[in-house]
């Protein structure tokens, strides 16, 4: 039963994570598990797409950071239940959300303009490092800058 899987997951998580993390996972996962039970979904039937649909139905108005956290929590739980890599589940959830254009996860494509700005920033950082290496080598300023 999927609620037993949740209890086992949270017990195992509690051995390695802070109490606040366990509470956060419980808060995100409890409604998902209840929905699965209502729909008679078993552990064998559980999919990443179900996690995405759950997020679409329950997370409107949430910030991108909150949605990313919920995606990670759902992916970790589904990965635990299915004994698979959570990162692949996370990507499936994200792509499902992007396909349906429902929730903003904050993950956006970079443009060539962004790439140019990134290169400019890298060059500025390298100039700063060179300056400190030449003028303050071996000092605290050098150590902190490195």
């Amino acid at each position: 039963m999927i609620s037993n899987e949740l209890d086992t997951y949270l017990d195992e998580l509690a051995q390695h994570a802070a109490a606040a993390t366990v509470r956060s996972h419980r808060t995100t996962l409890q409604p998902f598990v209840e929905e699965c039970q209502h729909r008679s979904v078993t552990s064998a039937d559980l999919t990443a797409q179900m996690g995405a649909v759950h997020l679409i139905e329950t997370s409107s108005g949430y910030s991108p950071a909150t949605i990313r956290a919920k995606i990670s929590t759902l992916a970790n739980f589904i990965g635990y239940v299915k004994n698979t890599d959570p990162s692949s589940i996370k990507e499936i959830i994200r792509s499902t959300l992007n396909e349906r254009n429902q929730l903003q996860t904050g993950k956006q494509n970079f443009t060539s303009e962004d790439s140019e700005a990134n290169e400019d920033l890298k060059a500025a950082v390298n100039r700063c490092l060179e300056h400190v290496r030449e003028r303050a080598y071996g000092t605290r300023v050098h150590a902190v800058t490195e």
Side-chain angles (χ1 to χ4, degrees):
M1 192 165 198
I2 202 160
S3 63
N4 294 340
E5 298 276 356
L6 175 61
D7 292 337
T8 305
Y9 170 79
L10 292 173
D11 288 343
E12 191 167 318
L13 182 64
Q15 295 175 16
H16 307 286
T21 302
V22 176
R23 278 192 306 273
S24 173
H25 280 239
R26 183 184 319 278
T27 300
T28 298
L29 294 172
Q30 191 66 45
F32 176 66
V33 168
E34 288 171 2
E35 179 182 330
C36 288
Q37 287 178 316
H38 178 68
R39 294 181 181 182
S40 301
V41 173
T42 65
S43 300
D45 301 330
L46 194 60
T47 65
Q49 288 82 1
M50 289 178 185
V53 169
H54 174 76
L55 284 174
I56 291 168
E57 293 172 353
T58 62
S59 299
S60 66
Y62 285 4
S63 73
T66 301
I67 293 169
R68 284 192 305 271
K70 288 181 176 289
I71 289 170
S72 291
T73 299
L74 284 167
N76 286 336
F77 176 66
I78 294 169
Y80 175 82
V81 170
K82 303 297 276 184
N83 198 27
T84 58
D85 181 21
S87 62
S88 61
I89 294 170
K90 189 184 300 186
E91 287 306 313
I92 293 169
I93 292 173
R94 279 192 182 134
S95 66
T96 302
L97 292 175
N98 289 337
E99 284 172 12
R100 297 184 183 200
N101 249 350
Q102 295 289 330
L103 298 174
Q104 297 297 322
T105 62
K107 195 171 186 182
Q108 300 173 355
N109 295 331
F110 289 103
T111 64
S112 61
E113 189 175 293
D114 294 329
S115 181
E116 289 172 17
N118 193 25
E119 291 302 317
D120 291 342
L121 181 60
K122 284 181 185 177
V125 168
N126 284 332
R127 284 192 304 273
C128 180
L129 280 171
E130 287 302 315
H131 176 78
V132 171
R133 287 175 183 152
E134 290 174 7
R135 306 232 192 296
Y137 189 82
T139 66
R140 279 189 190 156
V141 171
H142 176 233
V144 169
T145 305
E146 286 287 345

PDB file of all heavy atoms in Angstrom, residues 115-127:
ATOM      1  N   SER A 115      24.561  34.107 -22.955  1.00  0.00           N
ATOM      2  CA  SER A 115      25.870  33.475 -23.066  1.00  0.00           C
ATOM      3  C   SER A 115      26.980  34.518 -23.155  1.00  0.00           C
ATOM      4  O   SER A 115      28.024  34.374 -22.529  1.00  0.00           O
ATOM      5  CB  SER A 115      25.900  32.558 -24.283  1.00  0.00           C
ATOM      6  OG  SER A 115      27.139  31.927 -24.386  1.00  0.00           O
ATOM      7  N   GLU A 116      26.734  35.577 -23.920  1.00  0.00           N
ATOM      8  CA  GLU A 116      27.724  36.654 -24.047  1.00  0.00           C
ATOM      9  C   GLU A 116      27.935  37.354 -22.706  1.00  0.00           C
ATOM     10  O   GLU A 116      29.064  37.654 -22.326  1.00  0.00           O
ATOM     11  CB  GLU A 116      27.281  37.667 -25.105  1.00  0.00           C
ATOM     12  CG  GLU A 116      27.365  37.153 -26.517  1.00  0.00           C
ATOM     13  CD  GLU A 116      26.752  38.107 -27.522  1.00  0.00           C
ATOM     14  OE1 GLU A 116      26.548  39.295 -27.192  1.00  0.00           O
ATOM     15  OE2 GLU A 116      26.464  37.653 -28.645  1.00  0.00           O
ATOM     16  N   ALA A 117      26.847  37.598 -21.992  1.00  0.00           N
ATOM     17  CA  ALA A 117      26.953  38.239 -20.670  1.00  0.00           C
ATOM     18  C   ALA A 117      27.727  37.340 -19.713  1.00  0.00           C
ATOM     19  O   ALA A 117      28.538  37.825 -18.912  1.00  0.00           O
ATOM     20  CB  ALA A 117      25.566  38.534 -20.116  1.00  0.00           C
ATOM     21  N   ASN A 118      27.513  36.040 -19.822  1.00  0.00           N
ATOM     22  CA  ASN A 118      28.222  35.092 -18.975  1.00  0.00           C
ATOM     23  C   ASN A 118      29.720  35.108 -19.284  1.00  0.00           C
ATOM     24  O   ASN A 118      30.548  35.069 -18.377  1.00  0.00           O
ATOM     25  CB  ASN A 118      27.640  33.692 -19.166  1.00  0.00           C
ATOM     26  CG  ASN A 118      28.095  32.722 -18.115  1.00  0.00           C
ATOM     27  OD1 ASN A 118      28.453  33.106 -17.003  1.00  0.00           O
ATOM     28  ND2 ASN A 118      28.077  31.446 -18.464  1.00  0.00           N
ATOM     29  N   GLU A 119      30.071  35.189 -20.553  1.00  0.00           N
ATOM     30  CA  GLU A 119      31.475  35.254 -20.948  1.00  0.00           C
ATOM     31  C   GLU A 119      32.123  36.547 -20.449  1.00  0.00           C
ATOM     32  O   GLU A 119      33.265  36.547 -20.001  1.00  0.00           O
ATOM     33  CB  GLU A 119      31.622  35.123 -22.470  1.00  0.00           C
ATOM     34  CG  GLU A 119      31.288  33.742 -23.001  1.00  0.00           C
ATOM     35  CD  GLU A 119      32.152  32.652 -22.387  1.00  0.00           C
ATOM     36  OE1 GLU A 119      33.382  32.849 -22.241  1.00  0.00           O
ATOM     37  OE2 GLU A 119      31.596  31.596 -22.042  1.00  0.00           O
ATOM     38  N   ASP A 120      31.374  37.654 -20.519  1.00  0.00           N
ATOM     39  CA  ASP A 120      31.885  38.930 -20.010  1.00  0.00           C
ATOM     40  C   ASP A 120      32.149  38.837 -18.507  1.00  0.00           C
ATOM     41  O   ASP A 120      33.152  39.332 -18.000  1.00  0.00           O
ATOM     42  CB  ASP A 120      30.900  40.073 -20.286  1.00  0.00           C
ATOM     43  CG  ASP A 120      30.811  40.411 -21.769  1.00  0.00           C
ATOM     44  OD1 ASP A 120      31.726  40.023 -22.521  1.00  0.00           O
ATOM     45  OD2 ASP A 120      29.824  41.072 -22.151  1.00  0.00           O
ATOM     46  N   LEU A 121      31.251  38.203 -17.796  1.00  0.00           N
ATOM     47  CA  LEU A 121      31.406  38.035 -16.349  1.00  0.00           C
ATOM     48  C   LEU A 121      32.623  37.169 -16.037  1.00  0.00           C
ATOM     49  O   LEU A 121      33.410  37.497 -15.140  1.00  0.00           O
ATOM     50  CB  LEU A 121      30.140  37.425 -15.747  1.00  0.00           C
ATOM     51  CG  LEU A 121      30.130  37.217 -14.238  1.00  0.00           C
ATOM     52  CD1 LEU A 121      30.304  38.548 -13.508  1.00  0.00           C
ATOM     53  CD2 LEU A 121      28.841  36.549 -13.808  1.00  0.00           C
ATOM     54  N   LYS A 122      32.797  36.089 -16.772  1.00  0.00           N
ATOM     55  CA  LYS A 122      33.967  35.231 -16.570  1.00  0.00           C
ATOM     56  C   LYS A 122      35.263  36.014 -16.787  1.00  0.00           C
ATOM     57  O   LYS A 122      36.215  35.876 -16.026  1.00  0.00           O
ATOM     58  CB  LYS A 122      33.925  34.035 -17.523  1.00  0.00           C
ATOM     59  CG  LYS A 122      32.961  32.955 -17.124  1.00  0.00           C
ATOM     60  CD  LYS A 122      33.021  31.818 -18.126  1.00  0.00           C
ATOM     61  CE  LYS A 122      31.989  30.770 -17.832  1.00  0.00           C
ATOM     62  NZ  LYS A 122      31.997  29.688 -18.840  1.00  0.00           N
ATOM     63  N   ALA A 123      35.285  36.829 -17.831  1.00  0.00           N
ATOM     64  CA  ALA A 123      36.485  37.624 -18.123  1.00  0.00           C
ATOM     65  C   ALA A 123      36.757  38.619 -16.998  1.00  0.00           C
ATOM     66  O   ALA A 123      37.910  38.802 -16.583  1.00  0.00           O
ATOM     67  CB  ALA A 123      36.316  38.351 -19.454  1.00  0.00           C
ATOM     68  N   ALA A 124      35.717  39.245 -16.469  1.00  0.00           N
ATOM     69  CA  ALA A 124      35.886  40.210 -15.368  1.00  0.00           C
ATOM     70  C   ALA A 124      36.398  39.521 -14.112  1.00  0.00           C
ATOM     71  O   ALA A 124      37.277  40.040 -13.418  1.00  0.00           O
ATOM     72  CB  ALA A 124      34.567  40.926 -15.084  1.00  0.00           C
ATOM     73  N   VAL A 125      35.891  38.346 -13.824  1.00  0.00           N
ATOM     74  CA  VAL A 125      36.349  37.591 -12.651  1.00  0.00           C
ATOM     75  C   VAL A 125      37.812  37.207 -12.823  1.00  0.00           C
ATOM     76  O   VAL A 125      38.616  37.324 -11.888  1.00  0.00           O
ATOM     77  CB  VAL A 125      35.460  36.352 -12.417  1.00  0.00           C
ATOM     78  CG1 VAL A 125      36.087  35.397 -11.401  1.00  0.00           C
ATOM     79  CG2 VAL A 125      34.069  36.766 -11.962  1.00  0.00           C
ATOM     80  N   ASN A 126      38.187  36.763 -14.014  1.00  0.00           N
ATOM     81  CA  ASN A 126      39.582  36.396 -14.265  1.00  0.00           C
ATOM     82  C   ASN A 126      40.515  37.599 -14.127  1.00  0.00           C
ATOM     83  O   ASN A 126      41.620  37.474 -13.584  1.00  0.00           O
ATOM     84  CB  ASN A 126      39.731  35.749 -15.642  1.00  0.00           C
ATOM     85  CG  ASN A 126      39.239  34.324 -15.646  1.00  0.00           C
ATOM     86  OD1 ASN A 126      39.263  33.646 -14.616  1.00  0.00           O
ATOM     87  ND2 ASN A 126      38.774  33.862 -16.786  1.00  0.00           N
ATOM     88  N   ARG A 127      40.068  38.772 -14.596  1.00  0.00           N
ATOM     89  CA  ARG A 127      40.884  39.988 -14.433  1.00  0.00           C
ATOM     90  C   ARG A 127      41.062  40.325 -12.956  1.00  0.00           C
ATOM     91  O   ARG A 127      42.159  40.684 -12.514  1.00  0.00           O
ATOM     92  CB  ARG A 127      40.241  41.169 -15.176  1.00  0.00           C
ATOM     93  CG  ARG A 127      40.439  41.128 -16.676  1.00  0.00           C
ATOM     94  CD  ARG A 127      40.064  42.440 -17.346  1.00  0.00           C
ATOM     95  NE  ARG A 127      38.710  42.874 -17.070  1.00  0.00           N
ATOM     96  CZ  ARG A 127      37.625  42.519 -17.763  1.00  0.00           C
ATOM     97  NH1 ARG A 127      37.759  41.707 -18.792  1.00  0.00           N
ATOM     98  NH2 ARG A 127      36.434  42.975 -17.443  1.00  0.00           N
TER      99      ARG A 127
END
